[in-house]
mmCIF file of all heavy atoms in Angstrom:
data_model
loop_
_atom_site.group_PDB
_atom_site.id
_atom_site.type_symbol
_atom_site.label_atom_id
_atom_site.label_comp_id
_atom_site.label_asym_id
_atom_site.label_seq_id
_atom_site.Cartn_x
_atom_site.Cartn_y
_atom_site.Cartn_z
ATOM 1 N N PHE A 45 -56.447 192.768 139.878
ATOM 2 C CA PHE A 45 -55.290 193.568 140.378
ATOM 3 C C PHE A 45 -55.738 194.940 140.747
ATOM 4 O O PHE A 45 -55.171 195.877 140.293
ATOM 5 C CB PHE A 45 -54.233 193.534 139.249
ATOM 6 C CG PHE A 45 -53.757 192.116 138.908
ATOM 7 C CD1 PHE A 45 -54.339 191.464 137.838
ATOM 8 C CD2 PHE A 45 -52.850 191.487 139.667
ATOM 9 C CE1 PHE A 45 -53.969 190.180 137.542
ATOM 10 C CE2 PHE A 45 -52.480 190.138 139.416
ATOM 11 C CZ PHE A 45 -52.963 189.540 138.349
ATOM 12 N N PHE A 51 -49.226 202.236 136.019
ATOM 13 C CA PHE A 51 -48.336 201.344 135.219
ATOM 14 C C PHE A 51 -47.398 202.280 134.352
ATOM 15 O O PHE A 51 -47.876 203.331 133.954
ATOM 16 C CB PHE A 51 -49.133 200.505 134.375
ATOM 17 C CG PHE A 51 -49.884 199.333 135.093
ATOM 18 C CD1 PHE A 51 -51.137 199.695 135.677
ATOM 19 C CD2 PHE A 51 -49.337 198.133 135.185
ATOM 20 C CE1 PHE A 51 -51.733 198.736 136.467
ATOM 21 C CE2 PHE A 51 -50.029 197.134 135.973
ATOM 22 C CZ PHE A 51 -51.302 197.353 136.536
ATOM 23 N N VAL A 52 -46.238 201.770 134.080
ATOM 24 C CA VAL A 52 -45.249 202.500 133.240
ATOM 25 C C VAL A 52 -45.433 201.709 131.801
ATOM 26 O O VAL A 52 -45.300 200.579 131.726
ATOM 27 C CB VAL A 52 -43.845 202.332 133.706
ATOM 28 C CG1 VAL A 52 -42.930 203.191 132.884
ATOM 29 C CG2 VAL A 52 -43.754 202.762 135.129
ATOM 30 N N LEU A 64 -44.829 196.888 126.862
ATOM 31 C CA LEU A 64 -44.823 196.402 128.291
ATOM 32 C C LEU A 64 -45.575 197.514 129.142
ATOM 33 O O LEU A 64 -45.394 198.596 129.037
ATOM 34 C CB LEU A 64 -43.381 196.357 128.824
ATOM 35 C CG LEU A 64 -43.164 195.939 130.256
ATOM 36 C CD1 LEU A 64 -43.800 194.560 130.589
ATOM 37 C CD2 LEU A 64 -41.677 195.992 130.686
ATOM 38 N N LEU A 65 -46.480 196.947 129.914
ATOM 39 C CA LEU A 65 -47.193 197.748 130.933
ATOM 40 C C LEU A 65 -46.621 197.241 132.270
ATOM 41 O O LEU A 65 -47.034 196.174 132.775
ATOM 42 C CB LEU A 65 -48.707 197.454 130.920
ATOM 43 C CG LEU A 65 -49.654 198.346 130.187
ATOM 44 C CD1 LEU A 65 -51.101 197.711 130.367
ATOM 45 C CD2 LEU A 65 -49.547 199.734 130.555
ATOM 46 N N GLN A 66 -45.689 197.973 132.815
ATOM 47 C CA GLN A 66 -45.024 197.611 134.049
ATOM 48 C C GLN A 66 -45.664 198.223 135.195
ATOM 49 O O GLN A 66 -45.744 199.435 135.397
ATOM 50 C CB GLN A 66 -43.481 197.966 133.892
ATOM 51 C CG GLN A 66 -42.686 197.459 135.044
ATOM 52 C CD GLN A 66 -41.203 197.565 134.729
ATOM 53 O OE1 GLN A 66 -40.759 198.144 133.771
ATOM 54 N NE2 GLN A 66 -40.461 196.917 135.546
ATOM 55 N N GLY A 67 -46.071 197.366 136.136
ATOM 56 C CA GLY A 67 -46.636 197.842 137.368
ATOM 57 C C GLY A 67 -45.672 198.788 138.111
ATOM 58 O O GLY A 67 -44.556 198.447 138.279
ATOM 59 N N ALA A 68 -46.172 199.938 138.518
ATOM 60 C CA ALA A 68 -45.369 200.895 139.209
ATOM 61 C C ALA A 68 -45.592 200.864 140.723
ATOM 62 O O ALA A 68 -46.695 200.462 141.086
ATOM 63 C CB ALA A 68 -45.705 202.305 138.720
ATOM 64 N N ASP A 72 -44.396 193.920 144.312
ATOM 65 C CA ASP A 72 -45.220 192.881 143.813
ATOM 66 C C ASP A 72 -46.260 193.408 142.771
ATOM 67 O O ASP A 72 -47.233 192.582 142.433
ATOM 68 C CB ASP A 72 -45.924 192.192 144.976
ATOM 69 C CG ASP A 72 -46.807 193.159 145.784
ATOM 70 O OD1 ASP A 72 -46.618 194.404 145.674
ATOM 71 O OD2 ASP A 72 -47.708 192.706 146.485
ATOM 72 N N ALA A 73 -46.087 194.602 142.284
ATOM 73 C CA ALA A 73 -46.953 195.140 141.297
ATOM 74 C C ALA A 73 -46.848 194.323 140.001
ATOM 75 O O ALA A 73 -45.693 194.004 139.556
ATOM 76 C CB ALA A 73 -46.646 196.618 141.026
ATOM 77 N N PRO A 74 -47.988 193.879 139.394
ATOM 78 C CA PRO A 74 -47.887 193.036 138.220
ATOM 79 C C PRO A 74 -47.514 193.772 136.981
ATOM 80 O O PRO A 74 -47.779 194.958 136.836
ATOM 81 C CB PRO A 74 -49.321 192.483 138.198
ATOM 82 C CG PRO A 74 -50.146 193.597 138.687
ATOM 83 C CD PRO A 74 -49.302 194.272 139.721
ATOM 84 N N SER A 75 -46.901 193.112 136.035
ATOM 85 C CA SER A 75 -46.624 193.628 134.753
ATOM 86 C C SER A 75 -47.316 192.841 133.657
ATOM 87 O O SER A 75 -47.586 191.628 133.834
ATOM 88 C CB SER A 75 -45.135 193.635 134.439
ATOM 89 O OG SER A 75 -44.510 194.518 135.423
ATOM 90 N N PHE A 76 -47.623 193.506 132.502
ATOM 91 C CA PHE A 76 -48.345 192.816 131.435
ATOM 92 C C PHE A 76 -47.663 193.154 130.083
ATOM 93 O O PHE A 76 -47.051 194.169 129.929
ATOM 94 C CB PHE A 76 -49.832 193.200 131.409
ATOM 95 C CG PHE A 76 -50.533 192.911 132.632
ATOM 96 C CD1 PHE A 76 -50.671 193.847 133.661
ATOM 97 C CD2 PHE A 76 -51.163 191.719 132.836
ATOM 98 C CE1 PHE A 76 -51.302 193.568 134.863
ATOM 99 C CE2 PHE A 76 -51.804 191.314 134.050
ATOM 100 C CZ PHE A 76 -51.913 192.297 134.987
ATOM 101 N N VAL A 77 -47.870 192.262 129.128
ATOM 102 C CA VAL A 77 -47.433 192.541 127.807
ATOM 103 C C VAL A 77 -48.588 192.719 126.869
ATOM 104 O O VAL A 77 -49.486 191.886 126.904
ATOM 105 C CB VAL A 77 -46.568 191.383 127.231
ATOM 106 C CG1 VAL A 77 -46.167 191.643 125.750
ATOM 107 C CG2 VAL A 77 -45.292 191.260 128.085
ATOM 108 N N LEU A 113 -53.954 192.187 125.913
ATOM 109 C CA LEU A 113 -52.930 191.504 126.737
ATOM 110 C C LEU A 113 -52.578 190.139 126.295
ATOM 111 O O LEU A 113 -53.434 189.374 125.764
ATOM 112 C CB LEU A 113 -53.467 191.454 128.198
ATOM 113 C CG LEU A 113 -53.706 192.802 128.857
ATOM 114 C CD1 LEU A 113 -54.107 192.546 130.322
ATOM 115 C CD2 LEU A 113 -52.454 193.730 128.818
ATOM 116 N N ASN B 84 -56.687 187.944 133.035
ATOM 117 C CA ASN B 84 -55.588 188.739 133.493
ATOM 118 C C ASN B 84 -54.601 188.037 134.290
ATOM 119 O O ASN B 84 -53.384 188.282 134.237
ATOM 120 C CB ASN B 84 -56.193 189.926 134.299
ATOM 121 C CG ASN B 84 -56.794 191.000 133.456
ATOM 122 O OD1 ASN B 84 -56.768 190.957 132.203
ATOM 123 N ND2 ASN B 84 -57.452 191.978 134.084
ATOM 124 N N SER B 87 -52.084 186.553 132.300
ATOM 125 C CA SER B 87 -51.344 187.365 131.421
ATOM 126 C C SER B 87 -50.261 188.098 132.212
ATOM 127 O O SER B 87 -49.526 188.965 131.564
ATOM 128 C CB SER B 87 -52.344 188.444 130.864
ATOM 129 O OG SER B 87 -53.339 187.820 130.100
ATOM 130 N N VAL B 88 -50.037 187.796 133.451
ATOM 131 C CA VAL B 88 -48.965 188.569 134.194
ATOM 132 C C VAL B 88 -47.604 188.157 133.603
ATOM 133 O O VAL B 88 -47.375 186.949 133.386
ATOM 134 C CB VAL B 88 -49.105 188.164 135.653
ATOM 135 C CG1 VAL B 88 -47.873 188.755 136.426
ATOM 136 C CG2 VAL B 88 -50.356 188.717 136.249
ATOM 137 N N ALA B 89 -46.801 189.103 133.322
ATOM 138 C CA ALA B 89 -45.481 188.836 132.685
ATOM 139 C C ALA B 89 -44.360 189.218 133.682
ATOM 140 O O ALA B 89 -44.560 190.224 134.443
ATOM 141 C CB ALA B 89 -45.392 189.687 131.459
ATOM 142 N N ASP B 90 -43.308 188.529 133.648
ATOM 143 C CA ASP B 90 -42.110 188.981 134.477
ATOM 144 C C ASP B 90 -41.342 190.037 133.759
ATOM 145 O O ASP B 90 -40.823 189.746 132.673
ATOM 146 C CB ASP B 90 -41.258 187.676 134.685
ATOM 147 C CG ASP B 90 -39.970 187.980 135.405
ATOM 148 O OD1 ASP B 90 -39.737 189.122 135.890
ATOM 149 O OD2 ASP B 90 -39.141 187.071 135.503
ATOM 150 N N PRO B 91 -41.227 191.235 134.246
ATOM 151 C CA PRO B 91 -40.513 192.306 133.564
ATOM 152 C C PRO B 91 -39.078 191.958 133.190
ATOM 153 O O PRO B 91 -38.585 192.469 132.277
ATOM 154 C CB PRO B 91 -40.588 193.544 134.526
ATOM 155 C CG PRO B 91 -41.616 193.134 135.540
ATOM 156 C CD PRO B 91 -41.704 191.699 135.608
ATOM 157 N N GLU B 92 -38.459 191.134 134.061
ATOM 158 C CA GLU B 92 -37.075 190.773 133.859
ATOM 159 C C GLU B 92 -36.907 189.922 132.614
ATOM 160 O O GLU B 92 -35.936 190.097 131.798
ATOM 161 C CB GLU B 92 -36.574 189.912 135.014
ATOM 162 C CG GLU B 92 -36.621 190.594 136.371
ATOM 163 C CD GLU B 92 -35.612 191.754 136.471
ATOM 164 O OE1 GLU B 92 -34.511 191.589 135.986
ATOM 165 O OE2 GLU B 92 -36.041 192.808 136.904
ATOM 166 N N VAL B 94 -39.111 189.840 129.983
ATOM 167 C CA VAL B 94 -40.089 190.161 129.043
ATOM 168 C C VAL B 94 -39.506 190.413 127.615
ATOM 169 O O VAL B 94 -40.135 190.124 126.580
ATOM 170 C CB VAL B 94 -40.886 191.451 129.430
ATOM 171 C CG1 VAL B 94 -40.180 192.692 129.204
ATOM 172 C CG2 VAL B 94 -42.304 191.437 128.855
#
Side-chain angles (χ1 to χ4, degrees):
Chain A
F45 302 94
F51 291 82
V52 184
L64 175 63
L65 263 182
Q66 186 164 10
D72 61 342
S75 298
F76 300 92
V77 175
L113 296 186
Chain B
N84 284 350
S87 304
V88 173
D90 175 8
E92 299 294 315
V94 82

